[in-house]
Amino acid sequence: MQFAIGLLLVLTLACSVGSVINQGQTYEYYAAAYGERAAGAIMALQLDDLFHSVWFILLSAFLCLNLILCNLIRLPSLLDLMKREQDPAGSLGSRGSVSLEGVGDPEGFFHAMGFRSIRTGQGEEGPWLFSVRNLAGLWGAWVCHLGILLLILGFGLGQATMEVYTIYGLPGDSAAIGETGAILSIDSFDVDLREDDTVEQYTAGITVRRPSDGKEESAQISVNHPATLFGMKFFQNSTGWAADIHIKKSGEPLQDQVIYAGDYVPVSDMPDLVVYLNAFYPDYVNSPEGGPMTASSSLNNPAYLYSVYYRGQILGMNALLESEELTIDDYTVTFDNPRNYTLIQIKRDRFTLLALAGGLVVMLGLILAFYLQEARMWAVRGKDGTWTVYGACRKGGVLFGERFLEEGKKHGAAEPPQKQEL
Amino acid sequence: MSADKFLQIENLLFTVVMLLYFASMILYFAFIAARREKLAAVAEILQGLGFVLHTAALVIRGIGAGRLPLTNQYEFATSFAWGLCLVSLVFVLKYRFQVLGAFAAPVIFLIIGYAAMQSRDVHELMPALRSNWLGFHVSTAIIAYGAFGVSFVLGIIFLMREGMKDQSFLDRHVPSREKLDLIGYRSVSLGLLFLTFTILTGAIWAERAWGSYWSWDPKETWSLITWLIYAIYLHLRLRRGWRGRAAAIFAIVGFIAVLFTYVGVNTFLPGVHSYA
């Protein structure tokens, strides 16, 4: 128990640290944010990627080991306890945690306390009644531990074996999905806007072909509505702007291709010269601070914020309207035909269902532990014909005792309540 | 009736609800100061009336917005206060524990006061939020937070109870330490069950919306931290000597983690839940 509490405390602390330190940054970032010594410590302790660090994975493994051992050790004693709790002989000799004498209607009392199935028998001191309820509740913590174990296993195995691919493009584009042998084609992509210019939904039509057997499957995917094709799950993940870039040399067409915002295009006959599209503004205006911004999502005044590099050195940066052209020596560059591209995430995680099952088992365990509280009642008839009724509840003794006394009085307990030993 | 009209009515109701909760809190204070049971009875009626109107306000906002009112800071804060009020009323009735309402009233008022400081504008939902899972995820979080709020209040009452002289005024209105500890355990149990459901439904939703059911987003991580703190609370209660005072302190610390998960994460650790 102490080890488990210690592990939970360390995990809590580790998660807190991981949430405070910005994950996945470089040494330079941490040095600027926290100073060089702290940055060194962050990198050395793998706090920059804490949740995937060796020591965090080891902690999780220890937690799994602890859960396995805990459940294995408790299994025989739980089975034994189940047997003992169901055996009237174990209870009849004891006085329980609460009792009432002189009960005239013990069966009604049992029923009122939620004990449905009542066993009867004849002992040395006279007839007896016995009932036990919510025995399944004894398994709550055990089931909960099992669920956590399944959850961690499902998550861990999923992380270790998961295949994730990202493909972006425009309608008509096709691309191979990693090493899966399948090809994804983007058939359509629509951005549904509301009247107030906010986005209602992003929807992509996709087709996946498998050249090995010639099969193909199609689907529509949108945010919150992924599709499963050939065992892979396809998500409409993100979007951005793309446009056509036209490069002429000495007035003659040299190059026409698509450029994505955040991407670059090298000039075909001079690869050291690169045009980078920093951002796209569909409804370009100057912000009050003087910088570029867009007034709406509509293509009212398209503008392209570009940078030009030569051998890695920036030559210039500016915003270009569609009616304008950029001249670099013999080259002229223009942009047009802006449209949204889609970014599709493809994922294959064979252990998602295991993790989900783990989560559901945890829920079941918690319900058993919290809401099915094992309790027993038994009664022995005295020589005067009235019954002495006893009760015991593993959890919730005070509340069980209060209710016991209350219901007992309603069912003819003649004697005043005895002092409880809760 | 137009959507604007519904939202105007909700605005009015919200103000009335705030006043009712405030009046209930003052009357509860007066009950403790003046030691008059009648004041507590009136306070309880005002809190109950506030809860009914609060429910109506949430329903009307839902109709006006055309969706569940659970998607921004204002809506979650007012729902959080509603959840706390609901759980505290249920516990007051179930355990016949009137003073719980007196101690819950200031917390409810503080949370609804926080809601009043947030923007009440209704915005259309971004595509990721347009999911049926939203209702399950956020409504279970409201119950969980409400239950943890009650366990926090019970923890404070437990610690105060320790310092009370026998037969003092409050002593007659506050259950025994054993019963307080047990009711606190019950509220943590309810909270933990619903928090687990919140995390589970959030994971299922995240998998559909973002393609990953767990990505260590700060909100996710702090939900896990809260879960771990209450899991430690449950384990500690199994150890001799840790029931009672230590459990009460842990219930208070746990609720601080809940508040950080709700307000602190959005303020200091923005992630994909930044809108929540």
Side-chain angles (χ1 to χ4, degrees), chain A residues 30-49:
Chain A
Y30 296 119
Y34 310 111
E36 294 211 344
R37 282 181 69 179
I42 287 170
M43 301 310 277
L45 295 170
Q46 297 176 299
L47 302 182
D48 60 314
D49 192 16

Side-chain angles (χ1 to χ4, degrees), chain A residues 157-166 177-182 230-235 344-352, chain B residues 207 211:
Chain A
L157 290 170
Q159 292 284 303
T161 60
M162 191 193 304
E163 296 169 56
V164 183
Y165 309 99
T166 302
I177 306 172
E179 305 295 317
T180 62
F230 294 114
M232 293 176 281
K233 216 161 182 180
F234 292 77
F235 299 89
I344 293 166
Q345 189 186 69
I346 303 119
K347 199 176 102 178
R348 182 145 53 186
D349 180 355
R350 295 169 182 87
F351 295 97
T352 301
Chain B
E207 206 273 336

Side-chain angles (χ1 to χ4, degrees), chain A residues 246-256 267-269 330-333:
Chain A
H246 309 283
I247 303 175
K248 290 181 181 173
K249 187 177 182 183
S250 305
E252 294 299 316
L254 175 71
Q255 192 174 346
D256 297 306
V267 175
S268 57
D269 68 345
D330 293 341
Y331 301 97
T332 55
V333 178

Side-chain angles (χ1 to χ4, degrees), chain A residues 112-151:
Chain A
M113 289 292 290
F115 290 84
R116 297 277 166 258
S117 169
I118 302 170
R119 290 157 69 183
T120 58
Q122 183 71 38
E124 285 176 12
E125 294 177 12
W128 53 259
L129 305 173
F130 175 82
S131 184
V132 61
R133 72 171 194 206
N134 296 341
L135 268 176
L138 292 172
W139 290 88
W142 197 91
V143 172
C144 189
H145 285 180
L146 178 69
I148 296 170
L149 189 63
L150 292 176
L151 188 61

Side-chain angles (χ1 to χ4, degrees), chain A residues 323-396:
Chain A
S323 54
E324 297 172 332
E325 56 181 37
L326 162 69
T327 304
I328 316 159
D329 296 333
D330 293 341
Y331 301 97
T332 55
V333 178
T334 54
F335 299 98
D336 62 16
N337 193 21
R339 64 263 197 215
N340 285 112
Y341 71 85
T342 175
L343 189 144
I344 293 166
Q345 189 186 69
I346 303 119
K347 199 176 102 178
R348 182 145 53 186
D349 180 355
R350 295 169 182 87
F351 295 97
T352 301
L353 280 179
L354 180 62
L356 176 64
L360 293 173
V361 173
V362 172
M363 287 287 298
L364 176 67
L366 291 177
I367 290 169
L368 290 177
F370 297 150
Y371 294 101
L372 287 181
Q373 291 178 352
E374 188 268 339
R376 285 167 293 138
M377 273 180 81
W378 61 100
V380 179
R381 195 169 72 186
K383 285 174 184 159
D384 62 353
T386 62
W387 296 78
T388 301
V389 183
Y390 304 90
C393 178
R394 289 192 166 268
K395 289 179 186 170

